[in-house]
């Protein structure tokens, strides 16, 4: 499986142009999956057992691990390294929604004070605070 993982990571680096940090994360996640059978013999049961073995991680971490493994198996199937994707049809671990984080009054005051040094920065901060815009929404706004 190691050579397939190496090929997969090289593919992701060359085709998808992902960062070195992401490659390191992918390698770590994939290294945690050790089914003790050849790649062609991995089954859904191996994946389920692996998910059980990482149950001590947070739901978001388990989902990221599963997503990486699913991407690897999809690629392996496309490359004819395996006949069937053992993750096909499986759903990743559910991640409960996290409530949005808010600034308290003192933090807002400090932010506005610092932003006041530059009119453009102050305008951006006020728009974000008053309209509740997300960064991406403000960046996409046509002014």
């Amino acid at each position: 499986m190691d050579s397939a993982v190496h090929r997969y990571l090289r593919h992701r680096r060359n085709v998808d142009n992902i960062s070195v940090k992401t490659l390191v994360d992918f390698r770590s996640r994939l290294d945690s999956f050790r089914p003790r059978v050849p790649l062609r013999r991995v089954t859904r049961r191996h994946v389920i057992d692996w998910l059980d073995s990482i149950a001590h991680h947070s739901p978001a971490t388990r989902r990221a691990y599963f997503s990486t493994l699913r991407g690897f198996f999809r690629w392996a199937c496309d490359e004819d390294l395996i006949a069937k994707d053992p993750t096909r049809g499986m759903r990743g671990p559910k991640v409960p929604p996290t409530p949005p984080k808010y600034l308290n009054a003192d933090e807002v005051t400090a932010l506005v004070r610092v932003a006041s040094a530059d009119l453009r920065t102050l305008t951006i901060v006020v728009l974000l605070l008053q309209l509740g815009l997300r960064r991406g929404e403000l960046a996409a706004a046509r002014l």
Side-chain angles (χ1 to χ4, degrees), residues 1 15 23 31 34 37 46 58 65 102 116 118:
M1 191 162 142
V15 174
L23 286 171
D31 282 348
R34 295 289 177 196
V37 296
H46 293 106
S58 74
Y65 273 55
Y102 297 97
S116 296
D118 175 64

Side-chain angles (χ1 to χ4, degrees), residues 30-108:
L30 292 170
D31 282 348
S32 73
F33 181 74
R34 295 289 177 196
R36 297 184 185 170
V37 296
L39 182 60
R40 287 191 168 276
R41 306 225 14 231
V42 173
T43 65
R44 182 177 297 235
R45 171 54 40 203
H46 293 106
V47 175
I48 291 168
D49 289 346
W50 171 72
L51 285 170
D52 289 344
S53 77
I54 62 170
H56 60 282
H57 289 295
S58 74
T61 298
R62 288 194 318 270
R63 187 169 188 83
Y65 273 55
F66 178 74
S67 177
T68 300
L69 189 67
R70 182 174 41 209
F72 168 73
F73 279 120
R74 284 180 180 165
W75 170 85
C77 205
D78 290 346
E79 294 292 311
D80 294 324
L81 299 176
I82 57 176
K84 183 179 175 189
D85 176 356
T87 64
R88 185 168 187 206
M90 291 181 71
R91 293 182 182 231
K94 291 189 183 255
V95 178
T98 56
K101 296 177 183 173
Y102 297 97
L103 299 176
N104 64 37
D106 292 337
E107 292 168 328
V108 170

Side-chain angles (χ1 to χ4, degrees), residues 6 11 22 57 108:
H6 180 74
H11 166 81
T22 301
H57 289 295
V108 170

Side-chain angles (χ1 to χ4, degrees), residues 123-124 127 131 133-143:
T123 303
I124 290 170
L127 282 171
L131 299 178
L133 296 177
R134 295 180 182 104
R135 291 183 311 234
E137 293 170 331
L138 182 61
R142 302 262 186 232
L143 303 175

